[in-house]
Amino acid sequence: MCSSWLVVAFCCLGQLYADQRLKPQIAAPQLATNNPTLTTVALEKPFCMFDSSLHPNKSYTIYLYAMKESVSAMTSLVTDTSNKPLNSTFQQTSGGQLGPYKAAWFHVPSCASPPRLVDAGDVSKVSEVLKQYLFRVGDDGTCLYDPNFLDVCNPPLAPDTTYRFKYVLIDSTEGIVKDQTLWSDPIKTRRVKLALQIDTWPGRRSGGMIVITSVLSVLMFLLLASFLASVSSAVMRSESPSAESRGTPRTTEGDPRPQLGSE
């Protein structure tokens, strides 16, 4: 009897461990070549992650939360004491510095009919396929400054900053959390390259050399422009009427020429 209970317990623990291993994943390089960017991270949507928690005749929604890795475990919860999802915003959490913020919501992706990745090879279908399969965090550059924006704001992420992400399944009828993933592995946005770190192939000149070359080019242009202006001014002065009058000998009409006498 005891052994049977142990088997059941281990099976339950094994199932719980398998479920807890589910977490948001960064998009495959084949689907998002420049990922992460300075201000965005493309994630795979949670296909088939919440199938065991879905029930017929109920409506569900996925919330995506984001936070900076520096947030402590105590403040990384996305539910309140009544198991309702937090509606904390980007502004309220200082961009994820103080805790998780809701970055997006969307319908539960269909596990039965996921997008056909083979269609991504079709130029006319690639945008729609990627939109169904991926979600880009930090993709809205205007929502913070639009007073009429009422949806969930998904503003740009900070460069050179590490974030974690979490998918949460919401029972839309009851307004409570039904399931959630673990926080993702740390994902760091790209760092802004300094001028001294710019790779200027061919030749691989440093950023300082690029700046010096640019300044010298501008100075050379100004020097050449000044020289051409001086030459042009000198030519115009030489062709003016006063110059002609100064350069032409004056003659007097009727001025008799001296005659040599025969005496």
Side-chain angles (χ1 to χ4, degrees), residues 92-127:
Q92 291 170 343
T93 62
S94 297
Q97 181 69 39
L98 305 178
Y101 68 91
K102 187 166 66 174
W105 73 270
F106 46 84
H107 298 295
V108 180
S110 174
C111 184
S113 57
R116 288 163 42 88
L117 296 183
V118 67
D119 289 340
D122 187 340
V123 177
S124 62
K125 298 180 180 179
V126 61
S127 178

Side-chain angles (χ1 to χ4, degrees), residues 33-165:
T33 54
N34 185 27
N35 184 42
T37 66
L38 290 172
T39 57
T40 66
V41 173
L43 300 173
E44 295 179 0
K45 286 186 175 180
F47 282 92
C48 308
M49 279 189 177
F50 299 117
D51 278 10
S52 60
S53 301
L54 301 177
H55 297 283
N57 304 322
K58 283 212 170 187
S59 176
Y60 297 94
T61 305
I62 299 290
Y63 283 4
L64 170 62
Y65 287 90
M67 69 175 183
K68 293 183 179 179
E69 191 188 20
S70 56
V71 174
S72 67
M74 294 298 295
T75 56
S76 64
L77 298 177
V78 296
T79 59
D80 60 18
T81 54
S82 58
N83 203 35
K84 291 185 180 295
L86 297 180
N87 285 315
S88 49
T89 65
F90 183 91
Q91 298 96 317
Q92 291 170 343
T93 62
S94 297
Q97 181 69 39
L98 305 178
Y101 68 91
K102 187 166 66 174
W105 73 270
F106 46 84
H107 298 295
V108 180
S110 174
C111 184
S113 57
R116 288 163 42 88
L117 296 183
V118 67
D119 289 340
D122 187 340
V123 177
S124 62
K125 298 180 180 179
V126 61
S127 178
E128 184 62 27
V129 170
L130 294 181
K131 184 177 179 181
Q132 294 178 42
Y133 190 73
L134 305 178
F135 183 83
R136 190 175 293 276
V137 188
D139 204 31
D140 193 338
T142 61
C143 62
L144 286 179
Y145 315 104
D146 184 356
N148 300 317
F149 187 85
L150 301 177
D151 204 350
V152 179
C153 189
N154 178 31
L157 303 174
D160 194 25
T161 304
T162 303
Y163 289 87
R164 290 181 183 265
F165 306 96

Side-chain angles (χ1 to χ4, degrees), residues 182-254:
L182 288 175
W183 285 101
S184 70
D185 294 330
I187 301 175
K188 191 173 185 179
T189 53
R190 296 199 178 190
R191 180 175 57 181
V192 178
K193 284 191 175 182
L194 301 177
L196 295 177
Q197 298 172 331
I198 298 175
D199 185 1
T200 55
W201 184 92
R204 300 190 181 277
R205 302 178 183 86
S206 67
M209 182 61 72
I210 294 176
V211 173
I212 293 174
T213 303
S214 301
V215 172
L216 290 178
S217 299
V218 172
L219 292 176
M220 182 62 71
F221 172 78
L222 294 176
L223 182 61
L224 180 60
S226 300
F227 174 74
L228 292 176
S230 300
V231 172
S232 176
S233 177
V235 171
M236 292 179 65
R237 285 198 303 269
S238 66
E239 294 179 351
S240 63
S242 59
E244 289 181 0
S245 61
R246 286 195 301 270
T248 304
R250 297 181 58 184
T251 57
T252 304
E253 249 181 72

